[in-house]
Amino acid sequence: MRNKGAAEALKKCLKGFLCLLFGLLCAFLALFFLAWANARNGEAALRSALDEGVKPLLLGGGADALSFLKAALPLTLLSLSVALAWQGGLYQLGAVGQYALGMAAALALNGRGLPWYAGLLAALAMGALAGAASGWMKARFCVHEALSSALLCFLSLYAARALCQAAPIPETVREYPAAAFVAGGALTALCFVCLYAAVWGRAVRLMGDCRALAAYAGEDTGRLTALLMSFSGLLAGGAGGIAVLLGAAEEPSLALLFSGPGIQSLTAAALGGGYPGGALVFGPVTAWLARGAKAMDSALFPGEIGEAALTVGLYLAAFFAFPRRKGGEKA
Amino acid sequence: MEWDGITGALPVRVKQGEVFAVLAESGEAADRMAEALTEKNAGKNARFFGRVCSSSRDALKQGVAVVPRAGCLADDFSVLEQLRLIPGVPWTKKKARAYTEAVAEAYGFSVPLSERAGSLPGGERFRAELLRVLLLDVKAAVFSSPEAWLTPFEMEETGAMLKKMAREGKSVLLITASPAVADLAHGYADLRGREKENASLSPVIRELAPGSVVLEARDLTAAGKGGDLRSVSLEARTGEITAVLGSAGSGLETLAGALTGVTPLIRGRLRLNGRELKNAGVGERMRAGLRCAPGPALNFGIPRGGRAVYGMTLRRMRDKAFQESGFVKWSAARRFGEEAMQRGRAKPAGGAFAPAETLSAYEKQCCCLARELDGNPEVLTALRPTEGMKPGEARDIWNRLLSFRDSRRAVLVLTRDVREALAVAGRILVLCRGEITGSFDPALTTEKELSLFMAGTLRQDREEPFDEE
């Protein structure tokens, strides 16, 4: 359930770690069999799988703390946007599209004589607009947000590519790491304050518990839905803008969707039990493992092994994170 | 079937070819027992044909169909569409219809197969569930709280069908809180304990002449999951409890939604003390004095994820007293909640800060009533107020409603329980398939007559003279 206390949130996080452990076990088995194909015997295969595969995977690529944080922050914000929407009972499948749109908007304004926050504001606005579109369709026409956000995700990726082609990515992207971390922290704090201290957040959590309950309490569930998706999109777009401030300069493509932030953000949100606090824990964990996967010996093991491990964890965690209540009512 | 432990010191043995009932303290207790039968941990003391079953699916493999209170058929599909999926039923529509009709006819009943399961009134829905059990060709069936579906009149017919199943060698277990359902069985285990003494449902009406009309609803038309409303007109008077009696799917929940503002009205007029409220939102109606207390069975009177005390400000979240610049004033909400619970005599066993999920049906309803009656509204709509409660608890809730009525306020009780309507109302309206089909003085009508109206067999505009025989 979405709105129980800290004890329940902790239980969900523990379940998330178990799911992740199982995913890593599957990854280890895959590494072992791949190594066995090239090794003399089982012992050599085991040693190879451990030394060249599991060790770098678990060590996160051995990168320094700053570069790890640069990778973790945008992913954490992205998974936070998914978890935030889930608190209101909504499926935010368009987060990576909003991220791409935000990134493209930030890149378009980066290093063109504008202050550092111009790109970030543009990213926030683009992400919020994309999220609002999905929320509006749900509120006005009862189109399920999973469908509309997934569709808009592809459209957002296309729009982001078009934007990058119209305003080509500068050769050197200007970095503002300190500003990025402050902005990331501010957005995270804003999310928690709105959700747990504001009347709006209380209404959102009511809606997530039971839509009829929120209507009975006098809340306009249509408006809440639109605002929530918009806020979620703002976080996702902001994640893209912050990625640019941290030096990421990547032309948006479908690869973002099917690997990288696309799957990883959903994984982190699901492993965290659908709670924003859980997303804060599993966002960095997921980023750590993703970096570790890239650091494996690519001659022996493809980097997709790490992605596969996270995906297995995602599917398992989804069963724990998105349960049905007894009596048939959807959580 | 053998069942030890869950039911305390009393073991239950259901033989082949027998209809047996377990009479629980309350509807809530009956539901818990039915769930426990096939739950992994709690179900270890229940054995079907010598085997413990860890789920309903497992039980079905053993030849036992478990039908919970909510039923097994999905609301959004027609009965025939769902029955065709049962192994043994012909796949083509024509053949499936003929086959299922033949099975139903053999037991002396019929079911409208083309209608959506969710739109069937209570008795027909139960017969559809029964037909599903017959088509599954199981050796035993467990029905939980059949009184949720059946009027007292329909119970007799149902008892005859169940006994016919028993004569064919099947076993039937009824888990119920209704003595009337228990009477249908060959034998029953009475688990009510000390509540038995308070089980009398004698009327508690104290004489009070109704006053002026305070709430006027004309031609209310709305669509809802609980059944559509079709031009429903009613009035609520000061100093009177008006009961609207309807079975499952009759539109009770939609009527409550339409009065509260949760369900938008397609057509109709709603006036409170002369003030038009048709287009008013939930908050505006609440402030005008039109309040609604959903019963515990509906699970949205008190938010599940929070504490009971904060549930008291559920419908006042945006009041200036409980928020400042958009932020919740938790201390003010807590203080108000504690005071409101004190004033409304809502005292959960776990205290004001008990998690809402740990509250019993009675405690939830006390909290809900304390919240809705706070500020002395003009009209209170109580939707299924005592469902799932023990008789003593139900009586206490009725007394609270009567006290509110005695302060010259109007009460609308929307209920499925005929006895509750007879016990507490000064006037009874029957709602069947979204229409008001009859208006009665409780002193001049009987359970049987009301049941016939609830089932749709009789209507006051085309009524044949009612003969008790």
Side-chain angles (χ1 to χ4, degrees):
Chain A
M1 283 177 58
R2 283 182 287 279
N3 295 318
K4 279 193 157 185
E8 187 63 25
L10 195 62
K11 249 194 326 197
K12 286 247 159 110
C13 280
L14 284 171
K15 283 178 183 167
F17 274 114
L18 279 172
C19 294
L20 196 55
L21 214 61
F22 188 79
L24 289 171
L25 189 64
C26 295
F28 166 70
L29 287 172
L31 288 167
F32 175 69
F33 286 116
L34 278 170
W36 205 355
N38 296 318
R40 292 189 306 274
N41 53 37
E43 195 187 325
L46 185 65
R47 201 171 293 125
S48 175
L50 285 172
D51 292 338
E52 312 298 334
V54 175
K55 201 168 161 188
L57 179 67
L58 292 180
L59 288 179
D64 60 293
L66 183 62
S67 87
F68 162 67
L69 286 172
K70 281 183 177 182
L73 181 58
L75 182 59
T76 304
L77 279 174
L78 205 51
S79 56
L80 195 61
S81 92
V82 175
L84 174 68
W86 179 240
Q87 288 298 299
L90 302 174
Y91 295 89
Q92 181 26 337
L93 298 186
V96 75
Q98 290 145 15
Y99 170 85
L101 211 50
M103 188 185 266
L107 283 171
L109 297 178
N110 185 280
R112 294 184 200 276
L114 293 165
W116 65 268
Y117 50 81
L120 181 61
L121 287 174
L124 291 169
M126 295 297 273
L129 270 172
S134 181
W136 176 74
M137 278 195 262
K138 166 92 178 188
R140 185 74 177 83
F141 303 110
C142 294
V143 175
H144 201 290
E145 71 284 353
L147 290 171
S148 60
S149 62
L151 173 69
L152 285 169
C153 181
F154 287 100
L155 292 176
S156 301
L157 279 170
Y158 180 77
R161 282 194 69 157
L163 189 58
C164 286
Q165 277 156 14
I169 301 171
E171 279 186 21
T172 0
V173 173
R174 293 191 66 180
E175 293 184 28
Y176 303 92
F181 284 117
V182 169
L187 281 175
T188 306
L190 183 68
C191 172
F192 277 87
V193 164
C194 285
L195 199 55
Y196 294 109
V199 178
W200 178 82
R202 193 179 175 197
V204 159
R205 285 182 290 126
L206 264 184
M207 187 172 73
D209 192 17
C210 176
R211 213 168 176 89
L213 183 63
Y216 170 66
E219 295 298 321
D220 183 342
T221 51
R223 192 171 64 180
L224 274 178
T225 300
L227 281 174
L228 180 61
M229 288 299 283
S230 187
F231 191 6
S232 179
L234 181 136
L235 281 177
I242 283 170
V244 170
L245 291 176
L246 290 171
E250 191 179 341
E251 189 164 310
S253 68
L254 281 178
L256 271 180
L257 181 60
F258 295 113
S259 64
I263 288 289
Q264 287 165 18
S265 60
L266 292 175
T267 303
L271 289 171
Y275 289 100
L280 283 189
V281 169
F282 284 96
V285 168
T286 309
W288 180 269
L289 289 172
R291 287 177 63 83
K294 285 187 186 138
M296 289 192 299
D297 187 345
S298 55
L300 291 169
F301 309 117
E304 284 80 16
I305 295 284
E307 289 291 346
L310 291 172
T311 309
V312 168
L314 161 68
Y315 280 112
L316 282 175
F319 287 108
F320 292 115
F322 309 126
R324 276 179 181 272
R325 289 203 190 93
K326 278 183 191 169
E329 190 183 333
K330 281 187 201 142
Chain B
M1 193 204 122
E2 295 171 346
W3 194 3
D4 293 324
I6 292 168
T7 54
L10 197 68
V12 168
R13 303 271 187 276
V14 186
K15 297 186 205 118
Q16 192 180 358
E18 186 185 26
V19 180
F20 196 84
V22 171
L23 187 54
E25 276 185 331
S26 63
E28 207 179 16
D31 290 343
R32 276 201 303 271
M33 277 189 218
E35 281 175 13
L37 259 186
T38 50
E39 249 175 46
K40 211 161 181 121
N41 296 318
K44 59 182 180 293
N45 293 321
R47 276 178 291 281
F48 297 102
F49 303 105
R51 246 201 73 169
V52 172
C53 297
S54 57
S55 67
S56 307
R57 206 185 185 102
D58 203 16
L60 203 55
K61 286 183 192 162
Q62 294 303 309
V64 181
V66 180
V67 181
R69 177 197 280 261
C72 295
L73 296 172
D75 285 346
D76 293 332
F77 295 93
S78 73
V79 177
L80 185 63
E81 275 175 339
Q82 298 181 69
L83 297 182
R84 281 165 75 195
L85 299 173
I86 296 172
V89 176
W91 179 246
T92 51
K93 258 191 187 166
K94 211 171 167 182
K95 286 185 181 167
R97 181 180 289 275
Y99 183 85
T100 50
E101 279 174 354
V103 169
E105 211 172 321
Y107 281 81
F109 67 91
S110 66
V111 173
L113 295 168
S114 305
E115 293 211 24
R116 276 189 321 115
S119 67
L120 295 177
E124 283 182 351
R125 176 64 186 262
F126 184 81
R127 287 195 285 279
E129 298 284 347
L130 184 60
L131 182 56
R132 177 185 163 270
V133 167
L134 292 170
L135 290 169
L136 284 167
D137 199 23
V138 291
K139 292 180 263 188
V142 179
F143 292 95
S144 169
S145 301
E147 67 274 14
W149 302 105
L150 301 169
T151 63
F153 180 67
E154 286 165 337
M155 280 183 202
E156 290 175 28
E157 281 182 344
T158 307
M161 289 177 221
L162 296 177
K163 283 183 173 153
K164 185 167 173 165
M165 281 172 71
R167 282 196 295 276
E168 291 176 358
K170 299 187 204 295
S171 307
V172 178
L173 176 64
L174 304 170
I175 305 174
T176 178
S178 164
V181 171
D183 284 340
L184 302 175
H186 292 125
Y188 67 88
D190 191 340
L191 304 174
R192 287 171 302 166
R194 60 187 175 84
E195 282 296 334
K196 243 190 297 191
E197 292 97 60
N198 295 328
S200 154
L201 291 171
S202 55
V204 295
I205 293 176
R206 296 187 282 277
E207 289 303 317
L208 193 71
S212 55
V213 172
V214 64
L215 178 74
E216 192 190 339
R218 291 276 170 258
D219 297 323
L220 298 182
T221 305
K225 273 192 172 176
D228 298 342
L229 290 183
R230 293 176 200 154
S231 293
V232 167
S233 297
L234 53 84
E235 288 171 351
R237 295 169 190 270
T238 55
E240 185 181 52
I241 296 182
T242 306
V244 181
L245 189 59
S247 57
S250 61
L252 279 182
E253 292 79 12
T254 312
L255 178 59
L259 292 173
T260 319
V262 168
T263 306
L265 284 172
I266 297 169
R267 209 170 45 245
R269 217 176 58 218
L270 185 68
R271 284 194 184 149
L272 180 72
N273 283 327
R275 180 181 162 188
E276 181 61 54
L277 290 179
K278 182 193 168 184
N279 296 319
V282 172
E284 198 180 331
R285 292 184 197 203
M286 199 184 74
R287 282 187 293 275
L290 178 53
R291 302 278 181 95
C292 177
L298 289 138
N299 270 327
F300 62 84
I302 299 283
R304 272 171 290 197
R307 309 275 167 180
V309 69
Y310 295 118
M312 305 307 284
T313 49
L314 171 70
R315 301 181 85 204
R316 302 180 61 175
M317 286 192 307
R318 296 192 184 268
D319 281 8
K320 285 201 174 79
F322 307 114
Q323 60 123 342
E324 192 174 342
S325 310
F327 292 96
V328 180
K329 282 157 78 173
W330 290 109
S331 53
R334 187 176 59 243
R335 255 195 321 273
F336 175 82
E338 284 170 332
E339 285 162 13
M341 287 174 83
Q342 195 91 355
R343 279 193 299 271
R345 293 181 293 123
K347 293 170 193 156
F353 289 87
E357 283 198 333
T358 62
L359 301 180
S360 69
Y362 170 67
E363 287 167 347
K364 278 183 202 164
Q365 185 64 339
C366 287
C367 291
C368 203
L369 281 175
R371 181 184 66 219
E372 297 305 319
L373 294 177
D374 201 63
N376 213 13
E378 297 286 339
V379 180
L380 176 72
T381 306
L383 175 60
R384 293 160 60 186
T386 58
E387 206 164 297
M389 289 185 204
K390 299 174 195 175
E393 292 169 346
R395 183 170 282 268
D396 182 57
I397 297 295
W398 294 343
N399 282 331
R400 289 168 193 246
L401 295 176
L402 284 163
S403 298
F404 181 67
R405 179 206 68 170
D406 290 348
S407 61
R408 304 305 299 185
R409 299 296 188 210
V411 182
L412 276 172
V413 172
L414 311 185
T415 180
R416 294 180 182 177
D417 188 347
V418 177
R419 292 179 191 197
E420 178 171 54
L422 285 170
V424 80
R427 192 163 58 101
I428 299 175
L429 303 174
V430 176
L431 186 70
C432 178
R433 288 185 184 264
E435 292 178 295
I436 298 286
T437 55
S439 174
F440 300 90
D441 181 339
L444 302 176
T445 185
T446 59
E447 272 187 44
K448 203 162 185 172
E449 185 182 27
L450 290 172
S451 303
L452 287 170
F453 276 83
M454 280 168 75
T457 314
L458 293 175
R459 288 178 68 105
Q460 270 182 348
D461 53 5
R462 53 174 170 84
E463 184 183 352
E464 288 164 12
F466 178 69
D467 183 352
E468 178 71 34
E469 292 304 311

